[in-house]
Amino acid sequence: MNERPQSWDGERSDSRGYGRGSAEAQPEGARSMPHVRRGGPGGTGQPGGPAPVPPQQQYGQQGGQYPPPDQYGQRQGPYQDGYGEYDSGYNTGQVYGSPGGPQHPGGPGGPAQGRPARPAPNWRKRIKWTAIVVVAALVVTTVSTYFWADGKIRREVDLSKVIDRPDEGKGTNYLIVGSDSREGMSKEDKKRLHTGSAEGKRTDSMMILHTGDNGTTMISLPRDSNVTIPSFKGSDSGKMYPARGANKLNAAYAFDGPELLVRTVEYNTGLHIDHYAEIGFGGFASIVDAVGGVEMDIPKGFKDEKSGADFKAGKQTLNGEQALAFVRTRYALPGSDLDRTKNQQKFLAALAHQVATPSTVLNPFKLYPVMGSGLGSLVVDKDMSLWNLVSMFWAMKGVTGGDGKQMNMPISGSVGGNLAWDMPKVKQLVNELKNDDKVTVSGN
């Protein structure tokens, strides 16, 4: 057995200062020794040389310090050599001497000395490009909306099938029709809206809207007007049919649809109709609901079981079901059909005002449903463009808002229960419209 070293705790070391224990002791294991500068005979660590210098002083000058290595031979932290602090850079991710270190002021992390200053932002250029992007987005949105809306229009009426038409006059004349079409309505819808389940289609309301340089005029045509249904060419069969004599105006629509209605209006007035627009029960109610209801001021309450109307006097917001009942009611009104046409014009004024408010026009979540409900429910002539339709709407908004004239067709009395037109006044009215003169004729 080996003898125990005389000094286990390092109280003795050999004269060479190589380590603890005696020269015969076995080493405990490999160790990383600090790199020391060794001299020749008589140098440091040699017999007769100067005493060993502690490691923390071997690498420094002027009293600098160097931390001892760890168990893996790595030295942790900086040391002072009297000229500055040394940092290998491995602790911070920067390698000593790389750009941006202490010796490279122009690099990242160092002072901005030696690097040109960043130019100030060009705000004019940024604003210019921002404006271009915004304008481009608006153009794309507008064009997309136009084609989307134009594709929803139902151009189903062919006015070229109308025969013996009067000459065109100045301005533009629209025939606007509200029909009792139940197209697309379920049994629940018919019950809720009090429309019944009658077959076919009839007209509940008819109006002529004239637009021109001398203002806008809206003329309601009572459905019970006594008119002559002239000879006509069948819109589907192409056959010629003889005149039917005196009839109610809405009978023309029941006989052969929109084309014969246009033919009958033109024949009895002498006024050329340029465009046709029609909306049914379901579409009308959908538009009102999509816009969020329409506020009406009803001066006197009324109730009608046939239309489902039940209104009290005063301001109130009508939903689609209530609005349809309001414009259809005639039996509960003193003037019957004439009073109904007045209510229809009054409601259209309120509806147009509600649709054109900023809360609807500037809100895409409301505007698109309104447009979708309205355009999808309209039936128009084949030559009606989206621009024509927009012009018609704005003209309606203007005239119902007080910028124009609203009236009923002049009535002189009744014939067999039908309303007879006052023909002298009708001729004067038509002449003023054809010449686009200011309308001076008054209606009922």
Side-chain angles (χ1 to χ4, degrees):
M1 295 180 60
N2 294 330
E3 297 180 359
R4 173 174 176 170
Q6 296 179 7
S7 177
W8 187 266
D9 296 326
E11 296 173 354
R12 290 183 54 190
S13 63
D14 63 2
S15 60
R16 292 174 297 179
Y18 285 151
R20 297 179 300 176
S22 67
E24 293 80 11
Q26 294 297 324
E28 295 178 358
R31 292 184 179 178
S32 296
M33 301 298 292
H35 178 71
V36 296
R37 194 179 308 169
R38 302 186 183 277
T44 304
Q46 297 296 324
V53 179
Q56 64 269 23
Q57 295 182 6
Q58 290 180 2
Y59 290 88
Q61 298 179 13
Q62 301 178 4
Q65 293 184 351
Y66 192 100
D70 59 13
Q71 60 177 336
Y72 301 108
Q74 300 296 325
R75 302 184 187 280
Q76 304 297 327
Y79 74 90
Q80 299 288 339
D81 62 0
Y83 293 94
E85 179 177 327
Y86 173 80
D87 189 350
S88 65
Y90 290 104
N91 290 336
T92 62
Q94 286 186 330
V95 178
Y96 181 78
S98 64
Q103 296 182 356
H104 293 269
Q113 302 172 359
R115 184 176 64 182
R118 180 180 296 177
N122 189 337
W123 290 108
R124 179 178 297 180
K125 187 175 182 180
R126 290 186 180 185
I127 294 174
K128 174 185 175 181
W129 280 106
T130 300
I132 291 175
V133 171
V134 171
V135 171
L138 288 175
V139 170
V140 171
T141 302
T142 302
V143 172
S144 300
T145 300
Y146 178 89
F147 283 104
W148 168 79
D150 188 74
K152 292 186 72 67
I153 300 176
R154 299 170 57 186
R155 298 180 175 91
E156 300 175 4
V157 179
D158 189 358
L159 296 183
S160 66
K161 297 179 179 180
V162 181
I163 63 173
D164 300 334
R165 310 191 67 186
D167 296 333
E168 296 183 10
K170 297 179 180 179
T172 304
N173 299 311
Y174 300 87
L175 180 60
I176 303 172
V177 174
S179 74
D180 65 357
S181 171
R182 297 156 177 84
E183 180 182 3
M185 295 174 61
S186 64
K187 292 182 179 180
E188 291 74 14
D189 291 334
K190 295 175 183 178
K191 182 178 180 179
R192 177 176 58 89
L193 298 175
H194 301 272
T195 63
S197 300
E199 297 296 330
K201 294 194 298 183
R202 285 152 294 277
T203 53
D204 260 27
S205 62
M206 291 160 283
M207 301 177 186
I208 294 175
L209 178 70
H210 173 84
T211 62
D213 296 334
N214 284 299
T216 304
T217 304
M218 179 180 285
I219 307 140
S220 292
L221 308 175
R223 56 174 284 176
D224 294 337
S225 296
N226 189 68
V227 296
T228 297
I229 297 180
S231 60
F232 64 97
K233 185 177 183 179
S235 58
D236 293 329
S237 65
K239 298 180 179 179
M240 288 298 301
Y241 295 89
R244 294 180 180 259
N247 268 281
K248 291 182 178 181
L249 181 58
N250 69 334
Y253 187 98
F255 289 152
D256 198 49
E259 289 84 0
L260 180 55
L261 178 60
V262 171
R263 162 81 170 133
T264 302
V265 170
E266 289 185 341
Y267 179 85
N268 286 271
T269 63
L271 188 67
H272 182 91
I273 300 299
D274 299 291
H275 292 292
Y276 177 92
E278 173 192 329
I279 188 167
F281 283 162
F284 180 83
S286 297
I287 293 174
V288 175
D289 286 335
V291 82
V294 176
E295 186 179 69
M296 292 290 296
D297 187 1
I298 302 176
K300 185 178 180 180
F302 59 90
K303 186 175 182 178
D304 181 26
E305 293 183 359
K306 291 189 176 182
S307 66
D310 187 3
F311 300 106
K312 296 181 179 179
K315 288 186 177 181
Q316 50 204 288
T317 299
L318 308 186
N319 59 24
E321 176 184 346
Q322 295 168 325
L324 186 59
F326 181 81
V327 299
R328 292 182 60 212
T329 297
R330 60 171 176 159
Y331 295 106
L333 304 176
S336 189
D337 204 29
L338 292 177
D339 283 348
R340 178 169 70 167
T341 58
K342 294 176 182 178
N343 278 349
Q344 291 170 349
Q345 291 182 352
K346 185 177 181 179
F347 183 84
L348 285 177
L351 176 61
H353 175 76
Q354 180 68 26
V355 171
T357 56
S359 62
T360 299
V361 176
L362 300 180
N363 184 357
F365 297 102
K366 182 179 285 188
L367 178 62
Y368 281 89
V370 171
M371 293 177 63
S373 298
L375 296 174
S377 305
L378 279 176
V379 175
V380 301
D381 64 273
K382 294 182 179 298
D383 295 326
M384 177 84 84
S385 67
L386 184 59
W387 175 253
N388 294 141
L389 201 55
V390 171
S391 298
M392 182 189 78
F393 171 78
W394 283 108
M396 287 178 60
K397 177 182 178 297
V399 69
T400 54
D403 186 17
K405 185 177 180 68
Q406 298 181 73
M407 58 182 293
N408 279 326
M409 186 64 80
I411 303 297
S412 61
S414 62
V415 177
N418 297 338
L419 297 174
W421 292 354
D422 188 333
M423 293 311 298
K425 286 187 176 182
V426 170
K427 289 181 179 180
Q428 181 183 349
L429 172 63
V430 171
N431 286 333
E432 291 174 345
L433 295 177
K434 291 181 72 171
N435 295 318
D436 197 24
D437 295 331
K438 184 176 180 180
V439 174
T440 61
V441 177
S442 60
N444 297 80

